[in-house]
Amino acid sequence: MEQNKNRQPLDGIKVVDLTRVLSGPFCTALLSDLGAEIIKIEPPTGDEYRHVGPFRAGESALFTLINRNKKGAVADLKNPGHLNRVLELAREADVFVENFKPGVADRLGVGYEAVRAINPDIVYASISGFGQSGENSQLPAYDLVVQAMSGMMAITGEADGEPTKVGESIADLVAGLYGSWAILAALFDRQRTGLGVHLDVAMLDCLFSLMPTPVAQWMFSGEAPGRVGNRHPLSTPFGSFSARDGRVIIAVLNNRQFSALCVAMGRPEIAEDPRFRSDEERTRHEPALRDLIESWLSGQTVESAIDTLSGAGIPASPVLEMRDVLARASRGERQLLQTQQHPRLGPVPAMMQPVRASAWARPEPNTAPELGEHDDELFG
Protein backbone atom coordinates (compact mmCIF):
# COMPACT_ATOMS: atom_id res chain seq x y z
CA MET A 1 0.00 0.00 0.00
CA GLU A 2 1.36 3.41 -0.96
CA GLN A 3 1.93 5.67 2.03
CA ASN A 4 0.50 9.17 2.23
CA LYS A 5 3.58 11.29 2.82
CA ASN A 6 1.49 14.40 3.47
CA ARG A 7 0.14 13.14 6.78
CA GLN A 8 1.35 13.90 10.28
CA PRO A 9 1.00 11.37 13.11
CA LEU A 10 -0.83 13.73 15.50
CA ASP A 11 -3.28 15.21 13.00
CA GLY A 12 -6.62 15.69 14.82
CA ILE A 13 -5.10 15.72 18.32
CA LYS A 14 -6.08 18.85 20.27
CA VAL A 15 -3.90 20.07 23.14
CA VAL A 16 -4.82 22.76 25.66
CA ASP A 17 -1.51 24.25 26.77
CA LEU A 18 -1.37 26.28 29.99
CA THR A 19 2.41 26.11 30.24
CA ARG A 20 4.96 28.88 30.24
CA VAL A 21 8.71 29.55 30.19
CA LEU A 22 10.51 26.44 28.85
CA SER A 23 9.73 22.91 30.06
CA GLY A 24 6.02 22.91 29.16
CA PRO A 25 6.26 25.00 25.98
CA PHE A 26 9.08 22.74 24.72
CA CYS A 27 6.88 19.70 25.41
CA THR A 28 3.98 21.12 23.42
CA ALA A 29 6.27 22.40 20.64
CA LEU A 30 7.40 18.81 20.07
CA LEU A 31 3.75 17.74 19.82
CA SER A 32 3.04 20.59 17.41
CA ASP A 33 5.92 19.44 15.20
CA LEU A 34 4.01 16.18 14.72
CA GLY A 35 0.77 17.87 13.71
CA ALA A 36 -1.11 18.36 17.00
CA GLU A 37 -3.25 21.48 17.34
CA ILE A 38 -1.76 23.38 20.28
CA ILE A 39 -3.96 26.01 21.95
CA LYS A 40 -1.64 28.10 24.10
CA ILE A 41 -3.48 29.91 26.88
CA GLU A 42 -1.60 32.85 28.41
CA PRO A 43 -2.45 35.29 31.21
CA PRO A 44 -3.09 38.90 30.16
CA THR A 45 0.57 39.72 30.85
CA GLY A 46 1.72 36.91 28.57
CA ASP A 47 4.10 34.00 29.02
CA GLU A 48 7.18 35.10 30.98
CA TYR A 49 9.36 34.15 28.02
CA ARG A 50 7.82 36.99 26.00
CA HIS A 51 9.77 39.27 28.34
CA VAL A 52 13.13 37.45 28.21
CA GLY A 53 15.68 38.53 25.59
CA PRO A 54 17.33 38.67 23.20
CA PHE A 55 14.79 40.94 21.49
CA ARG A 56 14.25 42.38 18.05
CA ALA A 57 11.37 44.72 17.32
CA GLY A 58 10.01 43.86 20.77
CA GLU A 59 9.88 40.11 20.01
CA SER A 60 11.69 37.53 22.14
CA ALA A 61 13.87 35.08 20.24
CA LEU A 62 13.36 32.41 22.91
CA PHE A 63 9.58 32.75 22.86
CA THR A 64 9.54 32.64 19.06
CA LEU A 65 11.64 29.47 18.91
CA ILE A 66 9.83 27.53 21.63
CA ASN A 67 6.24 28.45 20.77
CA ARG A 68 6.22 27.60 17.08
CA ASN A 69 3.15 26.12 15.38
CA LYS A 70 0.72 27.13 18.16
CA LYS A 71 -2.52 29.07 18.40
CA GLY A 72 -2.59 31.72 21.11
CA ALA A 73 -5.36 32.97 23.37
CA VAL A 74 -5.55 35.02 26.56
CA ALA A 75 -7.45 34.03 29.68
CA ASP A 76 -7.39 35.33 33.24
CA LEU A 77 -8.19 32.14 35.15
CA LYS A 78 -9.30 34.18 38.17
CA ASN A 79 -12.12 35.54 36.02
CA PRO A 80 -15.02 33.02 36.09
CA GLY A 81 -15.99 33.76 32.50
CA HIS A 82 -12.46 33.20 31.26
CA LEU A 83 -12.13 30.04 33.34
CA ASN A 84 -15.30 28.65 31.75
CA ARG A 85 -13.88 29.38 28.29
CA VAL A 86 -10.79 27.36 29.07
CA LEU A 87 -12.81 24.49 30.52
CA GLU A 88 -14.94 24.42 27.36
CA LEU A 89 -11.78 24.03 25.32
CA ALA A 90 -10.65 21.27 27.70
CA ARG A 91 -13.99 19.48 27.24
CA GLU A 92 -13.14 18.88 23.57
CA ALA A 93 -9.40 18.33 23.99
CA ASP A 94 -7.34 15.16 23.92
CA VAL A 95 -4.49 16.51 26.04
CA PHE A 96 -4.15 19.15 28.76
CA VAL A 97 -0.69 20.32 29.84
CA GLU A 98 0.26 22.62 32.73
CA ASN A 99 3.49 23.45 34.54
CA PHE A 100 2.28 25.48 37.49
CA LYS A 101 3.76 24.94 40.92
CA PRO A 102 1.96 21.90 42.43
CA GLY A 103 -1.44 22.88 43.81
CA VAL A 104 -1.82 26.06 41.74
CA ALA A 105 -3.80 24.45 38.92
CA ASP A 106 -6.26 23.06 41.46
CA ARG A 107 -6.69 26.46 43.10
CA LEU A 108 -7.29 28.08 39.71
CA GLY A 109 -9.97 25.53 38.82
CA VAL A 110 -8.03 23.74 36.06
CA GLY A 111 -6.51 20.86 38.04
CA TYR A 112 -6.77 17.25 36.95
CA GLU A 113 -9.95 16.49 38.86
CA ALA A 114 -11.72 19.56 37.48
CA VAL A 115 -10.77 18.74 33.90
CA ARG A 116 -11.48 15.02 34.28
CA ALA A 117 -14.95 15.85 35.58
CA ILE A 118 -15.87 17.29 32.19
CA ASN A 119 -13.59 15.11 30.04
CA PRO A 120 -13.08 11.69 31.68
CA ASP A 121 -10.62 10.34 29.11
CA ILE A 122 -8.33 13.39 29.09
CA VAL A 123 -4.56 12.88 29.02
CA TYR A 124 -3.46 15.46 31.61
CA ALA A 125 0.24 16.23 32.07
CA SER A 126 1.66 18.18 35.01
CA ILE A 127 5.29 19.26 34.66
CA SER A 128 7.01 20.58 37.78
CA GLY A 129 10.43 20.78 39.36
CA PHE A 130 10.14 18.03 41.96
CA GLY A 131 6.82 16.30 41.31
CA GLN A 132 3.26 16.76 42.50
CA SER A 133 4.04 15.26 45.91
CA GLY A 134 7.04 14.73 48.15
CA GLU A 135 9.16 16.80 50.49
CA ASN A 136 10.53 19.09 47.77
CA SER A 137 7.37 19.53 45.73
CA GLN A 138 6.85 23.14 46.84
CA LEU A 139 10.39 24.31 46.11
CA PRO A 140 10.97 26.82 43.29
CA ALA A 141 11.94 24.91 40.17
CA TYR A 142 14.43 26.91 38.15
CA ASP A 143 16.67 24.85 35.90
CA LEU A 144 19.85 25.76 37.78
CA VAL A 145 18.31 24.64 41.09
CA VAL A 146 17.35 21.29 39.57
CA GLN A 147 20.77 20.81 37.99
CA ALA A 148 22.37 21.45 41.37
CA MET A 149 20.07 19.06 43.23
CA SER A 150 20.24 16.30 40.62
CA GLY A 151 23.97 15.65 40.95
CA MET A 152 24.54 16.72 37.34
CA MET A 153 26.58 19.73 38.47
CA ALA A 154 28.58 17.62 40.92
CA ILE A 155 29.93 15.43 38.09
CA THR A 156 30.44 18.28 35.58
CA GLY A 157 33.63 20.33 35.49
CA GLU A 158 37.33 19.83 36.06
CA ALA A 159 38.37 17.54 38.90
CA ASP A 160 39.99 20.40 40.82
CA GLY A 161 37.37 22.98 39.82
CA GLU A 162 33.93 23.89 41.07
CA PRO A 163 30.71 22.13 40.05
CA THR A 164 29.58 23.41 36.65
CA LYS A 165 26.16 23.59 35.09
CA VAL A 166 25.46 22.22 31.62
CA GLY A 167 25.59 24.99 29.01
CA GLU A 168 21.84 24.83 28.30
CA SER A 169 18.70 24.59 30.46
CA ILE A 170 18.93 20.82 30.29
CA ALA A 171 16.54 20.10 33.18
CA ASP A 172 13.74 22.11 31.56
CA LEU A 173 14.34 20.57 28.15
CA VAL A 174 14.56 16.95 29.28
CA ALA A 175 11.34 17.37 31.30
CA GLY A 176 9.63 18.69 28.17
CA LEU A 177 10.99 15.79 26.15
CA TYR A 178 9.85 13.20 28.70
CA GLY A 179 6.51 15.00 28.95
CA SER A 180 5.90 14.66 25.21
CA TRP A 181 7.06 11.03 25.30
CA ALA A 182 4.67 10.24 28.16
CA ILE A 183 1.77 12.02 26.43
CA LEU A 184 2.29 9.95 23.28
CA ALA A 185 2.38 6.75 25.36
CA ALA A 186 -0.81 7.83 27.15
CA LEU A 187 -2.60 8.53 23.86
CA PHE A 188 -1.63 5.07 22.61
CA ASP A 189 -2.80 3.49 25.88
CA ARG A 190 -6.10 5.40 25.71
CA GLN A 191 -6.67 4.09 22.20
CA ARG A 192 -6.49 0.55 23.59
CA THR A 193 -8.26 1.03 26.92
CA GLY A 194 -10.40 4.15 26.54
CA LEU A 195 -8.89 5.50 29.76
CA GLY A 196 -7.27 8.86 30.42
CA VAL A 197 -4.45 9.46 32.88
CA HIS A 198 -2.71 12.09 35.01
CA LEU A 199 1.02 12.28 34.19
CA ASP A 200 3.35 13.62 36.90
CA VAL A 201 6.59 14.77 35.22
CA ALA A 202 9.31 16.06 37.56
CA MET A 203 12.35 17.88 36.19
CA LEU A 204 14.58 16.36 38.88
CA ASP A 205 13.44 12.81 38.13
CA CYS A 206 13.92 13.31 34.40
CA LEU A 207 17.41 14.74 34.77
CA PHE A 208 18.47 11.98 37.16
CA SER A 209 17.35 9.41 34.59
CA LEU A 210 20.01 10.77 32.19
CA MET A 211 22.87 9.71 34.46
CA PRO A 212 23.33 5.93 34.14
CA THR A 213 27.15 6.27 34.12
CA PRO A 214 27.51 7.73 37.65
CA VAL A 215 24.86 5.30 38.90
CA ALA A 216 26.89 2.45 37.40
CA GLN A 217 30.05 3.76 39.08
CA TRP A 218 28.28 3.81 42.44
CA MET A 219 26.34 0.58 41.86
CA PHE A 220 29.00 -1.94 42.93
CA SER A 221 31.44 0.24 44.86
CA GLY A 222 29.03 2.31 46.93
CA GLU A 223 31.25 5.34 46.28
CA ALA A 224 29.78 8.44 44.63
CA PRO A 225 31.74 9.58 41.54
CA GLY A 226 33.20 13.04 41.21
CA ARG A 227 34.27 15.32 38.37
CA VAL A 228 36.77 14.19 35.73
CA GLY A 229 36.66 17.13 33.33
CA ASN A 230 36.28 16.26 29.66
CA ARG A 231 37.42 12.67 29.90
CA HIS A 232 35.18 9.65 30.30
CA PRO A 233 35.04 8.36 33.90
CA LEU A 234 35.25 4.69 32.87
CA SER A 235 37.01 4.51 29.48
CA THR A 236 40.43 5.80 28.39
CA PRO A 237 41.55 7.48 26.19
CA PHE A 238 38.13 9.07 25.78
CA GLY A 239 38.12 12.84 25.98
CA SER A 240 39.67 16.11 24.87
CA PHE A 241 43.39 16.36 24.05
CA SER A 242 45.64 19.30 23.19
CA ALA A 243 47.04 19.52 19.64
CA ARG A 244 49.29 22.22 18.15
CA ASP A 245 46.44 24.60 17.29
CA GLY A 246 43.45 23.45 19.34
CA ARG A 247 41.65 20.54 20.95
CA VAL A 248 41.00 17.10 19.49
CA ILE A 249 38.36 14.67 20.73
CA ILE A 250 39.53 11.05 20.78
CA ALA A 251 37.06 8.34 21.77
CA VAL A 252 38.56 4.86 22.26
CA LEU A 253 36.26 2.26 23.78
CA ASN A 254 38.09 -1.08 23.32
CA ASN A 255 41.48 -2.71 22.89
CA ARG A 256 41.17 -2.95 19.09
CA GLN A 257 40.66 0.80 18.80
CA PHE A 258 43.50 1.43 21.25
CA SER A 259 45.91 -0.69 19.20
CA ALA A 260 44.87 1.22 16.09
CA LEU A 261 45.52 4.51 17.91
CA CYS A 262 49.01 3.39 18.91
CA VAL A 263 49.80 2.44 15.30
CA ALA A 264 48.41 5.77 14.05
CA MET A 265 50.73 7.59 16.47
CA GLY A 266 53.69 5.54 15.24
CA ARG A 267 54.03 3.90 18.66
CA PRO A 268 52.54 0.37 18.32
CA GLU A 269 54.54 -0.85 21.33
CA ILE A 270 52.41 1.27 23.67
CA ALA A 271 49.56 -1.20 23.27
CA GLU A 272 51.73 -3.87 24.96
CA ASP A 273 52.60 -1.71 27.95
CA PRO A 274 51.14 -3.45 31.04
CA ARG A 275 49.72 -0.10 32.19
CA PHE A 276 47.55 0.13 29.08
CA ARG A 277 46.52 -3.45 28.26
CA SER A 278 42.89 -3.02 29.39
CA ASP A 279 40.39 -0.19 29.60
CA GLU A 280 40.45 -0.39 33.38
CA GLU A 281 44.27 -0.17 33.47
CA ARG A 282 44.29 2.68 30.96
CA THR A 283 41.83 4.61 33.11
CA ARG A 284 43.94 3.96 36.21
CA HIS A 285 47.01 5.32 34.41
CA GLU A 286 45.22 8.06 32.47
CA PRO A 287 47.77 10.87 33.19
CA ALA A 288 50.65 8.83 31.76
CA LEU A 289 48.68 7.87 28.67
CA ARG A 290 47.54 11.45 28.16
CA ASP A 291 51.16 12.60 28.17
CA LEU A 292 52.02 10.10 25.42
CA ILE A 293 49.04 11.10 23.25
CA GLU A 294 49.62 14.84 23.68
CA SER A 295 53.32 14.40 22.93
CA TRP A 296 52.28 13.02 19.53
CA LEU A 297 49.60 15.68 19.06
CA SER A 298 52.08 18.49 19.79
CA GLY A 299 53.39 17.99 16.28
CA GLN A 300 49.92 17.80 14.72
CA THR A 301 47.33 20.35 13.78
CA VAL A 302 43.76 19.52 14.69
CA GLU A 303 42.97 18.89 11.03
CA SER A 304 45.96 16.60 10.38
CA ALA A 305 45.36 14.65 13.59
CA ILE A 306 41.72 14.04 12.74
CA ASP A 307 42.63 12.97 9.21
CA THR A 308 45.10 10.42 10.60
CA LEU A 309 42.78 9.15 13.32
CA SER A 310 39.70 8.93 11.12
CA GLY A 311 41.72 7.11 8.48
CA ALA A 312 42.62 4.54 11.12
CA GLY A 313 38.98 4.08 12.11
CA ILE A 314 39.32 5.89 15.42
CA PRO A 315 36.41 8.17 16.43
CA ALA A 316 37.79 11.71 16.52
CA SER A 317 36.57 15.25 15.99
CA PRO A 318 37.38 18.91 16.51
CA VAL A 319 35.64 20.89 19.25
CA LEU A 320 33.44 23.16 17.16
CA GLU A 321 32.54 26.68 18.16
CA MET A 322 28.83 27.44 18.27
CA ARG A 323 29.12 29.76 15.25
CA ASP A 324 30.33 26.80 13.18
CA VAL A 325 27.56 24.54 14.50
CA LEU A 326 24.90 27.14 13.65
CA ALA A 327 26.31 27.59 10.15
CA ARG A 328 26.20 23.84 9.55
CA ALA A 329 22.69 23.53 10.97
CA SER A 330 21.45 26.29 8.66
CA ARG A 331 22.85 24.84 5.45
CA GLY A 332 23.01 21.11 6.15
CA GLU A 333 20.86 18.46 4.51
CA ARG A 334 19.37 17.47 7.86
CA GLN A 335 17.51 20.81 8.07
CA LEU A 336 18.03 21.36 11.78
CA LEU A 337 17.23 25.01 11.17
CA GLN A 338 14.71 26.23 8.64
CA THR A 339 13.37 29.67 7.85
CA GLN A 340 9.98 30.85 9.06
CA GLN A 341 8.20 34.05 8.10
CA HIS A 342 7.44 36.20 11.11
CA PRO A 343 4.83 38.96 10.60
CA ARG A 344 7.03 41.60 12.26
CA LEU A 345 10.54 40.21 11.97
CA GLY A 346 10.42 38.79 8.47
CA PRO A 347 12.43 35.62 7.80
CA VAL A 348 13.90 34.17 11.01
CA PRO A 349 15.36 30.75 11.90
CA ALA A 350 13.12 28.01 13.23
CA MET A 351 14.30 24.91 15.08
CA MET A 352 12.92 21.66 13.66
CA GLN A 353 12.19 18.42 15.48
CA PRO A 354 15.13 16.14 14.69
CA VAL A 355 13.48 12.79 13.88
CA ARG A 356 13.00 12.05 10.19
CA ALA A 357 10.27 9.63 9.11
CA SER A 358 9.72 8.10 5.70
CA ALA A 359 5.95 8.59 5.77
CA TRP A 360 5.42 11.83 7.70
CA ALA A 361 5.13 15.30 6.27
CA ARG A 362 7.72 17.85 7.32
CA PRO A 363 5.70 21.06 6.95
CA GLU A 364 6.97 24.60 6.88
CA PRO A 365 7.15 25.96 10.44
CA ASN A 366 4.64 28.56 11.61
CA THR A 367 5.76 31.36 13.86
CA ALA A 368 4.73 31.76 17.50
CA PRO A 369 1.40 33.53 18.03
CA GLU A 370 0.95 37.12 19.07
CA LEU A 371 -0.54 37.53 22.54
CA GLY A 372 -4.24 36.71 22.15
CA GLU A 373 -3.94 36.30 18.37
CA HIS A 374 -6.56 33.55 18.15
CA ASP A 375 -9.00 34.77 20.83
CA ASP A 376 -11.81 35.27 18.34
CA GLU A 377 -11.32 31.90 16.67
CA LEU A 378 -11.13 29.96 19.95
CA PHE A 379 -13.55 31.90 22.14
CA GLY A 380 -15.89 33.40 19.57
Side-chain angles (χ1 to χ4, degrees):
M1 180 182 296
E2 186 175 348
Q3 294 179 325
N4 176 9
K5 294 186 179 181
N6 293 319
R7 67 184 175 87
Q8 289 189 282
L10 296 185
D11 279 343
I13 296 296
K14 180 179 289 189
V15 180
V16 174
D17 176 9
L18 264 69
T19 68
R20 69 264 191 249
V21 187
L22 185 52
S23 62
F26 184 64
C27 169
T28 55
L30 294 176
L31 300 176
S32 78
D33 290 336
L34 300 179
E37 179 188 9
I38 311 297
I39 302 172
K40 182 177 178 68
I41 307 296
E42 300 178 67
T45 53
D47 184 328
E48 290 93 324
Y49 251 27
R50 288 189 184 273
H51 311 293
V52 175
F55 298 101
R56 190 203 296 171
E59 298 294 326
S60 162
L62 277 168
F63 183 87
T64 299
L65 285 171
I66 299 300
N67 290 282
R68 58 189 181 267
N69 305 324
K70 301 178 184 180
K71 295 179 179 179
V74 168
D76 178 0
L77 295 178
K78 296 179 181 179
N79 179 314
H82 288 201
L83 173 60
N84 287 334
R85 289 176 175 181
V86 173
L87 291 175
E88 283 304 309
L89 289 174
R91 187 190 303 276
E92 304 299 326
D94 299 283
V95 179
F96 194 101
V97 190
E98 57 90 6
N99 66 343
F100 295 115
K101 187 176 178 180
V104 171
D106 289 328
R107 291 198 296 273
L108 291 173
V110 290
Y112 175 58
E113 295 301 333
V115 174
R116 186 176 68 161
I118 59 173
N119 187 345
D121 62 353
I122 192 73
V123 172
Y124 187 110
S126 297
I127 302 174
S128 64
F130 304 98
Q132 297 300 299
S133 60
E135 60 179 344
N136 294 323
S137 64
Q138 296 301 309
L139 289 179
Y142 287 111
D143 177 89
L144 183 59
V145 172
V146 176
Q147 284 201 43
M149 293 184 66
S150 71
M152 181 73 80
M153 285 181 64
I155 62 169
T156 304
E158 294 298 329
D160 57 353
E162 65 179 66
T164 304
K165 79 177 189 71
V166 176
E168 177 52 280
S169 299
I170 187 68
D172 276 304
L173 294 172
V174 72
L177 183 60
Y178 268 118
S180 66
W181 168 83
I183 287 167
L184 295 177
L187 289 171
F188 180 72
D189 183 61
R190 188 180 71 179
Q191 193 172 42
R192 295 188 302 176
T193 67
L195 300 175
V197 67
H198 185 195
L199 302 168
D200 178 358
V201 182
M203 292 165 61
L204 181 68
D205 300 354
C206 295
L207 193 55
F208 179 79
S209 78
L210 296 190
M211 294 189 287
T213 301
V215 171
Q217 291 176 266
W218 161 85
M219 192 170 171
F220 296 148
S221 70
E223 295 182 4
R227 295 180 293 284
V228 293
N230 287 324
R231 70 179 180 86
H232 195 283
L234 299 175
S235 292
T236 302
F238 204 108
S240 172
F241 299 85
S242 179
R244 197 169 72 202
D245 61 346
R247 308 293 296 182
V248 175
I249 297 299
I250 300 175
V252 168
L253 200 59
N254 54 50
N255 288 343
R256 178 186 58 78
Q257 289 178 333
F258 182 63
S259 294
L261 171 65
C262 296
V263 171
M265 293 192 303
R267 299 286 305 275
E269 74 280 2
I270 293 175
E272 300 304 318
D273 189 314
R275 296 174 299 172
F276 309 136
R277 283 182 177 170
S278 70
D279 201 20
E280 186 176 8
E281 287 299 320
R282 289 193 291 272
T283 299
R284 184 175 292 118
H285 297 98
E286 191 273 342
L289 182 55
R290 174 175 290 274
D291 287 344
L292 290 169
I293 293 172
E294 292 192 332
S295 176
W296 171 68
L297 285 172
S298 66
Q300 303 282 331
T301 64
V302 170
E303 183 177 5
S304 66
I306 290 170
D307 285 344
T308 299
L309 295 168
S310 297
I314 300 160
S317 75
V319 180
L320 295 179
E321 296 293 337
M322 200 64 204
R323 61 176 175 269
D324 299 318
V325 175
L326 291 168
R328 292 183 178 204
S330 298
R331 67 173 183 264
E333 293 182 6
R334 301 298 294 184
Q335 294 184 310
L336 298 179
L337 291 175
Q338 281 191 253
T339 299
Q340 62 181 344
Q341 289 297 325
H342 193 283
R344 289 166 300 287
L345 302 177
V348 293
M351 297 181 75
M352 305 298 291
Q353 70 89 10
V355 179
R356 302 175 75 88
S358 62
W360 297 347
R362 195 175 173 89
E364 294 295 319
N366 291 318
T367 191
E370 295 183 42
L371 184 61
E373 180 178 341
H374 301 94
D375 279 355
D376 290 343
E377 175 188 338
L378 297 169
F379 297 146

